[in-house]
Amino acid sequence: MATDISPARMGAWRSFLVAHARVTDALAAELEAETSLPLTWYDVLVQLTEAEDKRLRMQDLARAVLLSKSGLTRLVDRMMASGLVTREPCLDDRRGTFVCLADAGRDRLDGASPIHMRGISQHFTSHLSEDEARQLHALLDRIVQANLIPAR
Amino acid sequence: MATDISPARMGAWRSFLVAHARVTDALAAELEAETSLPLTWYDVLVQLTEAEDKRLRMQDLARAVLLSKSGLTRLVDRMMASGLVTREPCLDDRRGTFVCLADAGRDRLDGASPIHMRGISQHFTSHLSEDEARQLHALLDRIVQANLIPAR
DNA sequence: GCCCGGTCGTTGCGAACGCAACTCATCCGT
DNA sequence: ACGGATGAGTTGCGTTCGCAACGACCGGGC
């Protein structure tokens, strides 16, 4: 069998799981409570803001926010109904659709961003020294690279 | 406002999120594919195996597998229907219910465990040196401790 | 002994998601 | 230029989950 994992490694794995659950739960709850903005919505708004022309193709956005195609379709439906984003046909490729950041979406993100940043700081980054942050980043990036896209 | 977060810290946070998503998705998919066992079910079986008398109160189990009370009720319903666990009334406190590991559950876990361990190793721990694992563990535990139970 | 606040587990309800099937558009080989 | 293969996005359906309300039960104060 030999599928043994050293206690140190197993401990790292378990704390990784618990830390993620605790921190993301806290962040999602705070964001929802103080800005009525679900974390998923926030993610979408961030991705759009960082995107060229403040817009993204559905598929690219889906990958960015770690959602399935259908999941994103519904999410965009809801956000459009709330006026935070817009759909715009893609002229180059008429199969495609752009999701565009609406003014209301930009405003909403501007209001929510400080709150979420404070949360990330309080619950996560403030517990890391600058040096530890660099180490953690390098280490996790290595893991990310080793787990490249299994398709979706 | 000063809600700034250094690039190194922000990078650590982002890779933390992506790494978690990638690894857990891969693990859940492999486990499901090779043993027809959802990750949640596996978690429950592990907790019961490690518990005294191979049984746990609903609430304790819910906390252990990071699920809400109602979520666990339904999950135990399904697992009981599949014969992996049993419900047993708690005599000391007649409000309570024990979830007990059934023989079929133990067998099922025995079969799935090597597969999951191999997955954890392949996708996560194998990318860490023994020393890095210790550092990561310590670091994440610090974060866990700082984010103690906001109640559920 | 009898309440009354708190706890344990379940249930009704709704929200969010993934998979698979479908539509329509694009691309490529011939 | 045309037909089949591939890709983008949406929709139907089933699954899983959390919240809130509920009923049963415990325990302390009187």
Side-chain angles (χ1 to χ4, degrees), chain A residues 2 4-6 14 20 26 29 41 53 56 58 61 73-74 81 86-87 91 116 122-123 125 134 136 138 141 144:
Chain A
D4 277 12
I5 299 180
S6 78
R14 290 212 175 186
H20 178 272
W41 292 38
D53 295 337
L56 278 176
M58 288 291 286
L61 185 53
T73 296
R74 261 65 91 101
T86 320
R87 266 186 242 254
L91 302 180
H116 194 235
Q122 272 185 15
H123 297 291
T125 58
R134 267 189 296 271
L136 182 60
D141 252 2
V144 170

Side-chain angles (χ1 to χ4, degrees), chain B residues 40-55:
Chain B
T40 339
W41 292 38
Y42 180 88
D43 271 350
V44 167
L45 295 179
V46 169
Q47 295 299 332
L48 290 180
T49 302
E50 294 181 352
E52 190 172 355
D53 294 338
K54 312 294 180 194
R55 62 182 198 174

